[in-house]
Amino acid sequence: MKPFDRLLLENKAWAHEMTEHDPGFFQRMSQAQTPEFLWIGCSDSRVPAEQITASEPGTIFVHRNIANLVVTTDMNVLSVLQYAVDVLHVKHIIVCGHYGCGGVMAALNKQQPQIILANKWLKHIKDIYRLHRVELDLLPLPEAKLDRLVELNVIEQVHNLAHTSIIQKAWRSEQRPELHGWVYGLDDGIIKELISLNADSPMDPLYQYDFS
Ligand code: CO
């Protein structure tokens, strides 16, 4: 059996099992989605949003990219964000990074010729490193430096969300969503909370929109 045939076979078994367990499940799923959460995570195969939070289909609207970045000129993440906030009315947005992130690790090194496109994407993390260089360069071990940059990257991405007009508008009119920055441990499966921002959180005036 080819590896992808196994995926298709597993899918049939899964659909069968779900129907056995809950005969109305797919009927309900086919009607509409009302997820309470938007998840912005890393594309890393070891950090699947639903599995690590034991969430059923329909619970989390998911966007994943290399190193869980919220680049405010990226039409992909902005489209997902706007749909999640303005149409799905999610209550929470979670940016979830993970320790040992290859994207963050790559950003700590010189530009690599074999990832000429990803270099441009990862440049955003180099900028975060530059912003926190004093703190990061004090850390003696390369692993500690990577772990801390992973955390700082998550925190920065949560602020990037807060700096969008989409979030500021929703905060002003509906006092939601709450923004969360989390980091996942590949070695223990545990999620740690790093930051939480809501409509009442202070914001640098440089990034504030004036909607009046
Ligand atoms: Co990663």
Side-chain angles (χ1 to χ4, degrees):
M1 187 188 294
K2 297 202 175 85
F4 67 86
D5 282 331
R6 194 184 55 75
L7 294 185
L8 293 169
L9 200 64
E10 290 289 356
N11 164 257
K12 283 192 186 70
W14 172 79
H16 181 73
E17 207 174 293
M18 292 299 280
T19 310
E20 290 266 284
H21 175 73
D22 178 358
F25 181 77
F26 290 110
Q27 217 280 328
R28 280 200 315 281
M29 284 295 118
S30 65
Q31 299 305 306
Q33 62 166 336
T34 53
E36 206 173 317
F37 308 97
L38 164 62
W39 176 281
I40 299 172
C42 184
S43 297
D44 194 302
S45 59
R46 299 164 296 179
V47 196
E50 289 88 350
Q51 262 168 295
I52 65 175
T53 57
S55 300
E56 293 267 302
T59 312
I60 312 180
F61 198 61
V62 175
H63 175 83
R64 289 166 68 182
N65 61 45
I66 295 177
N68 41 271
L69 299 187
V70 178
V71 176
T72 51
T73 50
D74 172 17
M75 289 304 287
N76 191 346
V77 75
L78 289 179
S79 303
V80 168
L81 179 65
Q82 182 169 38
Y83 191 77
V85 172
D86 294 342
V87 180
L88 297 174
H89 301 280
V90 296
K91 296 192 177 76
H92 301 272
I93 300 180
I94 297 148
V95 177
C96 188
H98 64 101
Y99 294 119
C101 183
V104 177
M105 206 185 303
L108 273 170
N109 295 306
K110 277 193 173 174
Q111 307 280 22
Q112 297 170 52
Q114 72 275 30
I115 52 166
I116 203 149
L117 273 177
N119 283 334
K120 299 176 200 332
W121 183 249
L122 298 173
K123 182 186 173 289
H124 297 286
I125 309 177
K126 286 186 187 291
D127 294 339
I128 298 168
Y129 174 58
R130 198 157 41 81
L131 204 60
H132 298 277
R133 194 165 217 153
V134 174
E135 175 193 340
L136 287 163
D137 285 354
L138 281 174
L139 296 168
L141 298 170
E143 300 79 35
K145 191 187 269 194
L146 173 61
D147 284 355
R148 185 60 186 146
L149 185 55
V150 163
E151 294 178 354
L152 290 169
N153 179 46
V154 168
I155 292 166
E156 188 73 15
Q157 304 317 316
V158 171
H159 284 293
N160 283 348
L161 281 174
H163 296 161
T164 63
S165 58
I166 298 164
I167 292 297
Q168 289 185 31
K169 241 184 194 158
W171 276 354
R172 193 186 158 98
S173 58
E174 296 179 46
Q175 298 287 301
R176 64 152 190 99
E178 199 170 336
L179 311 180
H180 309 269
W182 293 355
V183 62
Y184 173 79
L186 291 174
D187 57 358
D188 61 7
I190 300 295
I191 292 171
K192 187 166 101 182
E193 295 181 78
L194 298 172
I195 185 177
S196 185
L197 295 180
N198 60 38
D200 299 324
S201 300
M203 187 184 303
D204 186 330
L206 271 181
Y207 297 103
Q208 280 173 15
Y209 282 87
D210 183 4
F211 295 113
S212 56

